[in-house]
Amino acid sequence: MGQTPDVPALEARAREFRKTILRMITQAGSGHPGGSLSAIDILTALYFHHLRVDPARPQWPDRDRFVLSKGHGCPAWYVVLAARGYFDPSHLWTLRRIGSPLQGHPDMTRTPGVDMSTGSLGMGFSAAIGMALAGKRDGRPYRVYAMLGDGECQEGAVWEAAMFAAHQGLDNLTAIVDRNGLQQTGRTEERVRLDPLAEKWRAFGWEAQEIDGHDMAAIVGALGRARAGTGRPEVIVAHTVKGKGVSFVEGVVGFHGKALTQDELARALAELDGAPAGRG
Amino acid sequence: MAIRLADGSRNRATRDAYGEALLQAARREPRIVALTGDLRDSTRLEAFAGAFPDRFVECGIAEQNMAGIAAGLATCGKIPFVSSFAAFAPGRCYDQIRVLIAQPRLNVKLVSTHGGLTVGEDGMSAQAVEDLAMMRALANMTVIVPADATETAAVIDALVAHDGPAYVRLGRSAVPVLFDEGYRFAVGAAPVVRDGDDVTIAACGIMVTEALEAARALAADGVEARVLNCATLKPLDEAAVVAAARETGAIVTAEEHTILGGLGGAVCEVVAASHPVPVERVGIRDRFGESGAPRALQDAYGLTAAAIAAAARRALSRKRRG
């Protein structure tokens, strides 16, 4: 993708993606709108500006890899993959239906562009590290990106993986934590406290940046800085809002794993259509 | 057709054969990488680590992360061999194995040593007596328990050529070398290692040696026992099991594992569905182990030739009552 980001164009895409995500989940009747909307700006920047990928060759050996360790956010990923040309967008309307290539959680055997099946939290990250390790050992030029949920960082295996990646000096690896502050049943800080989260990563030997995960220019800038070789893996703690872009979904725990009703969807789409591009 | 057996004079641990076989395979196959969680000594991978430092991955005491790393390596074309103790892999990383390896059917080989009761003195937390049931329950997973060092080497070679996830359970202690160098292993085959028509003993791992000894004791009483080496628990050689049921009319299973869900369970499933005959299961009877010398534990938990012979007599008497 181009080196000079067209931030307004990325913002406009992300706003359209938000609408498609909500439509898909409502049509499916279930899914995770909150964590999809918190992640979509970052996914848009990755796939429409940053990643070295070729949708016509999803198995290209030197492609950048992306692992969605917070697998429940996959509606956002599917929308981006379809828009990028990995598969026909008509599949989006089969989300979660029997026989669909778009499963409730990512399935690498069914979905082009998905490099690792995930679902249970705290483990896709380790697989991403395996990919980064293979790249390092073989002298391949690709980078590996993994997106984790913040609640996911309560899983102990995340920290096994963080320790290992730093020990191996995997500076071809970028972790992005979708720090939306909520988990299934409440605020992360009320369930099991995560803060100071970036400092935890630094203490484990990572380079850490903290950004506004809905500020497209900041996202693009942070991903670009993470490219530079430092001998250390890189984490971007992206401060986000669960349900971002729809006033009555934002920050509402109840929309972690619940589809919008038809009425709610209509209100949400109207809001998104009325919003200025980019701050959707 | 019975298989040629070795002369019985040598003992060797299956884990020793594993370390040597993987090192040799790695010389031929550059895609092989080896991972351990601070157990390169116990799992016999020190020579591999020395010969191929760039293909060896020390994961530290973190089996969950190790399983995930192996999955990621497999997506990049590697053939990862992941080694830990059977208590820890699958015990400490079952969901990683399930979601990251078995569900996407990735080419990861999980080779765990220190399976079963014969770990010995370290006691029940270290004795995996349910690992085979856990792994057999996973779709896409091949499950193998070699009987001796010769078979272990053949299993490793076969798995290098076999595309897909597999679990191999090896032991800590030296065990008799049963098979001579001409032994051929095929995934999914349960070869007849002793012929007989009165009763069948279907065994895996260290219990194959016990089964052969039991067959000799039974022969002294005029009972000819067929012995099947069911090294591949999954996919089980259903044809061999059904033939045994049809031709011998009674089956004893023998495994160093709980009788629930392992070889005994697998054989019962096939026999009940296809050709019901009496089955007696020799194994650990729904309990955990304890500390002790391996042989003392085998005696205390009924993992012996004598226990198999007694089970065969029970099976025969049920068959006659039929």
Side-chain angles (χ1 to χ4, degrees):
Chain A
M1 298 264 95
Q3 288 306 301
T4 309
D6 183 345
V7 169
L10 292 170
E11 290 171 341
R13 277 192 192 280
R15 187 180 57 180
E16 289 306 307
F17 291 155
R18 284 190 154 80
K19 289 153 63 178
T20 310
I21 290 165
L22 293 175
R23 283 195 192 102
M24 278 167 65
I25 295 174
T26 293
Q27 169 145 333
S30 66
H32 297 80
S36 295
L37 294 187
S38 63
I40 187 62
D41 294 309
I42 297 161
L43 288 165
T44 303
L46 280 167
Y47 277 88
F48 285 88
H49 174 67
H50 192 74
L51 293 181
R52 282 178 65 247
V53 293
D54 180 357
R57 290 185 296 158
Q59 298 301 317
W60 175 35
D62 284 337
R63 70 191 181 281
D64 285 347
R65 270 78 169 167
F66 175 77
V67 175
L68 188 65
S69 199
K70 49 166 283 186
H72 57 278
C74 61
W77 193 16
Y78 295 155
V79 168
V80 169
L81 289 174
R84 199 67 177 72
Y86 281 93
F87 50 83
D88 192 313
S90 66
H91 289 305
L92 296 174
W93 311 109
T94 69
L95 173 70
R96 288 179 166 244
R97 272 202 229 142
I98 192 161
S100 173
L102 305 183
Q103 296 287 295
H105 290 82
D107 180 343
M108 66 183 288
T109 69
R110 292 180 186 247
T111 313
V114 171
D115 283 325
M116 179 52 60
S117 300
T118 54
S120 305
L121 295 175
M123 58 174 73
F125 184 36
S126 294
I129 289 170
M131 296 172 188
L133 184 67
K136 268 273 176 215
R137 294 269 174 109
D138 291 346
R140 295 284 200 172
Y142 64 78
R143 285 190 66 85
V144 181
Y145 298 81
M147 180 182 278
L148 295 87
D150 52 355
E152 182 175 10
C153 295
Q154 290 166 356
E155 288 281 4
V158 168
W159 303 101
E160 293 183 6
M163 216 182 316
F164 177 90
H167 180 82
Q168 295 283 340
L170 297 181
D171 56 7
N172 57 345
L173 173 70
T174 299
I176 303 157
V177 180
D178 182 2
R179 181 74 174 110
N180 61 36
L182 299 181
Q183 54 195 101
Q184 173 141 338
T185 66
R187 290 169 38 77
T188 58
E189 301 313 279
E190 289 169 358
R191 291 298 169 262
V192 171
R193 186 167 56 247
L194 294 168
D195 279 333
L197 187 55
E199 283 177 39
K200 285 187 172 70
W201 287 91
R202 287 189 188 106
F204 275 73
W206 287 59
E207 294 288 331
Q209 305 181 62
E210 290 192 81
I211 62 165
D212 174 349
H214 301 301
D215 178 338
M216 194 61 80
I219 297 167
V220 167
L223 289 170
R225 278 192 294 281
R227 267 192 183 286
T230 58
R232 291 163 175 255
E234 184 81 38
V235 63
I236 299 169
V237 177
H239 292 275
T240 58
V241 175
K242 210 156 180 174
K244 176 69 176 176
V246 180
S247 60
F248 58 90
V249 179
E250 283 187 7
V252 176
V253 169
F255 282 111
H256 166 83
K258 187 166 86 61
L260 274 63
T261 64
Q262 288 292 349
D263 284 352
E264 287 166 341
L265 177 64
R267 284 166 53 206
L269 295 177
E271 268 194 35
L272 286 164
D273 279 333
R279 292 324 184 106
Chain B
M1 182 191 64
I3 282 174
R4 268 195 322 167
L5 300 180
D7 63 14
S9 64
R10 288 176 60 225
N11 286 334
R12 195 175 190 215
T14 51
R15 60 174 167 150
D16 290 330
Y18 166 55
E20 187 182 307
L22 190 64
L23 180 60
Q24 287 180 8
R27 293 202 165 101
R28 299 188 300 270
E29 174 49 84
R31 294 177 297 165
I32 292 174
V33 294
L35 295 77
T36 74
D38 196 30
L39 290 171
R40 69 179 78 184
D41 49 354
S42 304
T43 60
R44 299 297 190 249
L45 290 174
E46 282 184 312
F48 186 109
F52 297 110
D54 289 344
R55 293 160 60 185
F56 178 77
V57 185
E58 174 57 72
C59 296
I61 307 168
E63 293 79 14
Q64 297 180 75
N65 185 46
M66 177 164 65
I69 289 169
L73 288 167
T75 68
C76 297
K78 307 293 183 191
I79 307 177
F81 278 75
V82 179
S83 289
S84 182
F85 291 166
F88 309 145
R92 289 297 293 267
C93 49
Y94 190 62
D95 199 28
Q96 278 80 2
I97 294 170
R98 176 177 156 271
V99 173
L100 301 179
I101 296 172
Q103 289 180 354
R105 211 181 166 280
L106 288 174
N107 195 22
V108 174
K109 317 303 181 186
L110 303 151
V111 182
S112 289
T113 66
H114 295 61
L117 272 186
T118 52
V119 167
E121 292 80 353
D122 278 348
M124 70 174 162
S125 73
Q127 294 162 346
V129 298
E130 60 292 284
D131 54 321
L132 302 175
M134 293 169 74
M135 297 305 275
R136 201 169 75 81
L138 295 174
N140 295 334
M141 186 64 65
T142 295
V143 180
I144 300 174
V145 189
D148 75 343
T150 306
E151 187 169 47
T152 299
V155 165
I156 297 309
D157 284 348
L159 287 182
V160 172
H162 173 91
D163 185 33
Y167 175 65
V168 181
R169 184 226 246 190
L170 304 177
R172 166 177 175 258
S173 309
V175 293
V177 176
L178 277 182
F179 305 118
D180 78 8
E181 296 300 321
Y183 181 76
R184 293 278 177 271
F185 170 83
V187 175
V192 175
V193 291
R194 185 188 190 282
D195 250 333
D197 289 327
D198 297 325
V199 62
T200 294
I201 306 168
C204 65
I206 64 166
M207 298 306 286
V208 177
T209 295
E210 302 293 330
L212 287 166
E213 188 182 330
R216 286 191 290 274
L218 290 164
D221 295 343
V223 173
E224 290 302 329
R226 177 181 305 184
V227 177
L228 288 183
N229 175 19
C230 294
T232 310
L233 265 72
K234 188 182 180 184
L236 187 66
D237 186 343
E238 297 192 6
V241 171
V242 171
R246 188 178 298 119
E247 291 161 17
T248 71
I251 297 179
V252 174
T253 62
E255 63 195 311
E256 187 192 3
H257 185 266
T258 171
I259 58 171
L260 308 177
L263 178 61
V267 167
C268 285
E269 288 161 16
V270 171
V271 168
S274 297
H275 192 91
V277 295
V279 177
E280 292 283 334
R281 292 166 295 163
V282 172
I284 299 157
R285 308 197 73 81
D286 199 18
R287 59 177 171 155
F288 293 111
E290 64 188 287
S291 291
R295 192 70 229 180
L297 288 165
Q298 280 186 252
D299 290 339
Y301 286 76
L303 303 178
T304 60
I308 294 170
R313 292 190 178 97
R314 287 197 303 276
L316 278 168
S317 106
R318 287 172 61 196
K319 169 178 152 181
R320 290 191 196 105
R321 284 202 307 272

